[in-house]
Structures are given as structure tokens and as C-alpha cells.
Amino acid sequence: MRTLSVRLAATAASALLLPAFVPGAGAVAAPRTAPQAAPAPSCGNGAAAVDHRLPNGTTWSMCWRVSDIKGLVLENIAYRPKTEANAHKVLSSAALAQVNVPYDSGTTEYNDVSDIGFGNTAIDIGPEECPGGTISSVYVPGSRRVVKALCVMTRPRGYAYRSDTGGEDGEKQEKFTKQGDDLVVFSVSQLGWYEYVTQWNFSDDGTITAKMGATGDLSPGDYSGAGTGWPIGKGDRDRSTNHYHSVLWRLNFGLDGSSKAAVEQFDTKVTGRGSGSAVLTTTRKSVTRELAAKSAPRRWWRVVSTTGKNADGHRRSWQLVQEASDPYEAHAYTSKDVYFTQYRGCEQLASGNVDPACASRGKSVDKWADGERLTQPVMWVNVGFHHIPRDEDQTPMPIHWQGFQLVPRDVTAMSPLTPEELTGHNGRGH
């Protein structure tokens, strides 16, 4: 039987760990449905390689390891469309940076990454959780266990596209349609009554989706009164306490193999009225200094390669696409939606960062975004979810997801899934 002592014991144990992130060891074989397209990437620090070709021809490669603190860490992530000979490096590293869980009653708060650790609490994944995929084991130094920690599998994602073309001036109408697939990579950690799924989806159209799923059970020790809790069970006797999940990720870019990149912010505003509708004008601003920012309607950011262009001569970039989020204003570092900071190796966790090399800079990301010139950007994404329990959350609790996407913008001249018959349809003059 799990109790709150699971969390508290893990918190005490984590105080004995060194702040350095110790890599795990393991080996990943590609799922049966995914033929190998190229030699697996070379991975150091005890990391293992994933090199996976999706059915539509897109190849994703990366290295993975398990950190005692961060849990699943992905490195050297690269994307190769079937239409191009070379892979495009996207991220040097991607991992969790914090999961902050304060309860509305004001009596309880957890920082699950920095205080406990997602690697220390990693649990075995069974074949029923990874259908048709491959499960790989890793040794986690902090807990001194070998854990079946990583699932790699292919999953359908629905429509890739659909288009009816022709049908004018006597042309024969022709339908083009295709279903898409994702490479899915995930691990599971158990912290107290919650079980967290750290998941990354890599789509055949080049999109990267970061997801954190929370399931398990409502804590039987966290109940409060009206205003801070919701009645669970018969009548109005027991109110499970409302609480927050603020999940933060750290993304270190390596576009086209370079640690340098540019950041741009786009805002679209109504600027007038045309003959048929309002005029909306989009402006672009170069983000040359570190930034702590909140989302706004029609606002978005992209990270732009300083070395690579697509076949149309446009700079390759990756756009941050944000999903629903309720930022937690009670902490400075969870009050913003995105941070861009200049790279420092000692800045690894969004809060509770105890690397002594950063001691003079504070322990949280809000302290680091202090206006320094931005040439080697690290993106920190914060997604908040205010969990007000409901009867349906018992038991087990249906999984709820938080996350965001990185979408390729001008990485290729056309979609990597464009059928050969339509490859000439590029630009106004086609």
C-alpha cells in the first residue's frame, strides 16, 4: 500500500545524492515494424541510441539515458525527411526541469523533480503498456536498481493530409490522402500516489510533442474544506484538496549542428478594416536578450537556425506551439509561460537548482532571465494545470496530460509527406 511516506522518504533520500546527473545504461532495439534507415547515432555517457524510421519514410534518431533527478533525458535529437539525404539536428538535449505540486489548502507542496527525482522513482513498464514496441532496461544509480524504464513504439496519429485536386477546366479530380504515425518514447515514475508518464512523440511530419501524463490515485491524506477541496464520495463529508501541477521542460537547441541560434517573437494585431474583414498585421521582433514572457492571443515564438536554409532559401526554424495552461502565480518561476536564457551548463532545473557553479545566480529560472545577450538560447516551457478533483478521479485516476509542441517552420521546402505527384506545387507560380 502506498502512503505519503513514499514521497517523504524519497525526498529524504534525494538529499544524499550528488547534484550531478548520472547517466544510465541500456540498449534500444528498433520495434519490429520500423526498419533501420541509417546507422544508429553515437551516444556517450552510457546513453543508448534510438534510430527509428516511420512507415511514411521519416527517420528520427536520438540518444537516451535516465538521470536520477530528471528521469528520461533525450539528447542529440535529429530529424531526416525521406526527401532529404541528411538529417537535421534539432535539440542537443530535452528533459523535465521541474514538477511543482502545491495544494490549495496551503499546507502541502512538492517539487517532484528537484526534491525526489523521476529517475529515482522510475518503475518497470510492462508489455501491455508498450504494445508492439521495445522495452529497454537501465541501471539507476540513485536507487541502485535495474528498471525496465523505456518504451519505444510506433503509434497511428490519424490524418496526415487529405486533398482533392483538379476538377476544373476539364481536369480529372484526384484525391490524395494519407494516415500519419508517431514514434512514441516514454518512461513512468511513481511518486507517492501519483504516477507520471514522461512522453515524447516524434511525428512523421517533423512535429515534436512533449507530454506529461498524471495518473495513479488521489492522495487519501490530502483533504480540506469548501473552497479548497471538492466533495469525493458520498455526500459532502470528504473534500479532496485542489492542487496544481506546474510542469517545466528545458530544451537546449542544436539547430543544424550549431549551438548558436536566433529567437524571434511574433504578434498579430488588428490594425484596420478592409473591404471584407478586419486587417490583421503580424510583426516580428528579434529576441536578442534573455526573456521571461507570458502568452497572449496570436503571440508565438520560434528558434531559428543561424547556419541552415531549406531548398527555398528560407531559414530553418522550430516554432513553439503552446496548449492550454493555467500558470501558478504564487511562484515567480511558474508565473510565466516561457523563458529564453543564455546557455549555462549549471542551469539545469527550473527551481531547486543546487549546482554550486550557479550558486551566485540563484536557484530558479526567473533569476537567470536577467537580460543577458542571447546567442545560445535555452528554452524553458511552463505548462500549468489546476487539478480540481472529481468523482471520476477514483480509482485509478484517468490520466490527464500537459504539454506543448515544437513544429517545423521552413525546415523543408514542402511537407516531407507530400506525394511525388504534387511536388511541383510549391509557391504561387505552380
Side-chain angles (χ1 to χ4, degrees):
M1 179 67 70
R2 286 177 289 174
T3 67
L4 286 177
S5 63
V6 175
R7 247 193 227 265
L8 299 177
T11 303
S14 69
L16 302 176
L17 299 175
L18 294 175
F21 305 119
V22 183
V28 173
R32 294 186 299 272
T33 57
Q36 295 295 307
S42 176
C43 301
N45 294 326
V50 174
D51 189 67
H52 192 99
R53 187 177 188 271
L54 290 166
N56 285 339
T58 297
T59 300
W60 285 97
S61 63
M62 65 201 71
C63 302
W64 74 276
R65 60 185 177 90
V66 171
S67 154
D68 291 345
I69 305 301
K70 295 181 178 180
L72 178 61
V73 178
L74 302 180
E75 298 170 323
N76 298 322
I77 299 170
Y79 153 66
R80 186 175 72 81
K82 68 177 181 180
T83 54
E84 303 198 8
N86 298 317
H88 303 296
K89 186 175 178 181
V90 185
L91 295 165
S92 295
S93 65
L96 286 175
Q98 189 58 277
V99 178
N100 175 245
V101 189
Y103 281 71
D104 288 14
S105 60
T107 60
T108 306
E109 181 170 359
Y110 302 106
N111 289 291
D112 285 340
V113 173
S114 60
D115 291 345
I116 303 172
F118 270 57
N120 294 328
T121 56
I123 56 177
D124 290 339
I125 296 170
E128 72 282 2
E129 303 170 72
C130 188
T134 299
I135 300 172
S136 294
S137 298
V138 64
Y139 176 71
V140 182
S143 60
R144 299 182 180 179
R145 297 176 299 131
V146 175
V147 184
K148 296 176 182 177
L150 184 79
C151 170
V152 178
M153 62 181 179
T154 299
R155 273 287 160 271
R157 65 178 179 88
Y159 269 114
Y161 59 76
R162 187 187 188 283
S163 175
D164 285 338
T165 63
E168 298 179 2
D169 299 326
E171 290 184 28
K172 179 182 177 181
Q173 187 163 344
E174 188 172 3
K175 181 174 72 175
F176 294 90
T177 183
K178 187 177 286 291
Q179 296 291 296
D181 292 280
D182 283 353
L183 162 64
V184 179
V185 180
F186 73 86
S187 65
V188 183
S189 300
Q190 186 180 81
L191 293 92
W193 290 87
Y194 266 97
E195 297 182 20
Y196 290 105
V197 180
T198 303
Q199 181 167 312
W200 296 85
N201 288 29
F202 300 91
S203 300
D204 48 15
D205 66 355
T207 299
I208 299 173
T209 303
K211 302 175 69 176
M212 170 60 71
T215 181
D217 301 277
L218 293 173
S219 168
D222 288 298
Y223 279 75
S224 58
T228 60
W230 189 270
I232 299 293
K234 298 292 186 182
D236 196 18
R237 184 185 66 182
D238 299 319
R239 287 178 172 263
S240 183
T241 306
N242 310 332
H243 54 280
Y244 249 92
H245 298 266
S246 292
V247 183
L248 293 99
W249 290 261
R250 178 185 183 272
L251 305 172
N252 182 21
F253 285 82
L255 300 184
D256 296 309
S258 174
S259 61
K260 294 185 178 181
V263 176
E264 295 175 344
Q265 176 178 313
F266 292 79
D267 287 279
T268 302
K269 297 181 180 180
V270 176
T271 56
R273 184 77 192 179
S275 59
S277 63
V279 176
L280 276 70
T281 301
T282 299
T283 58
R284 175 175 58 183
K285 178 175 69 175
S286 294
V287 180
T288 59
R289 301 283 177 178
E290 292 176 317
L291 176 68
K294 292 184 72 70
S295 299
R298 300 182 298 276
R299 170 177 293 169
W300 52 276
W301 295 269
R302 70 169 182 163
V303 180
V304 188
S305 173
T306 58
T307 60
K309 295 181 179 180
N310 68 15
D312 284 344
H314 301 147
R315 289 284 184 190
R316 286 194 280 267
S317 69
W318 295 80
Q319 177 181 340
L320 172 63
V321 176
Q322 296 165 295
E323 299 179 1
S325 177
D326 289 315
Y328 181 70
E329 298 91 347
H331 295 312
Y333 75 93
T334 55
S335 66
K336 299 294 192 295
D337 296 295
V338 64
Y339 297 86
F340 292 97
T341 63
Q342 180 70 358
Y343 172 83
R344 279 185 171 82
C346 61
E347 295 175 353
Q348 293 289 325
L349 299 181
S351 72
N353 194 81
V354 295
D355 191 319
C358 276
S360 64
R361 294 183 54 77
K363 296 182 179 180
S364 57
V365 65
D366 56 293
K367 302 291 195 302
W368 307 331
D370 57 4
E372 184 178 352
R373 185 168 177 79
L374 195 63
T375 60
Q376 193 173 342
V378 174
M379 179 192 290
W380 308 75
V381 182
N382 172 38
V383 182
F385 170 61
H386 189 215
H387 185 185
I388 297 180
R390 54 185 182 145
D391 279 339
E392 289 86 351
D393 284 341
Q394 296 200 127
T395 191
M397 180 167 48
I399 195 164
H400 51 82
W401 294 97
Q402 299 163 247
F404 64 93
Q405 291 184 318
L406 292 179
V407 175
R409 174 168 288 276
D410 304 341
V411 173
T412 52
M414 298 184 73
S415 166
L417 306 182
T418 297
E420 187 174 350
E421 302 94 314
L422 299 178
T423 54
H425 290 236
N426 184 21
R428 183 176 182 176
H430 72 257

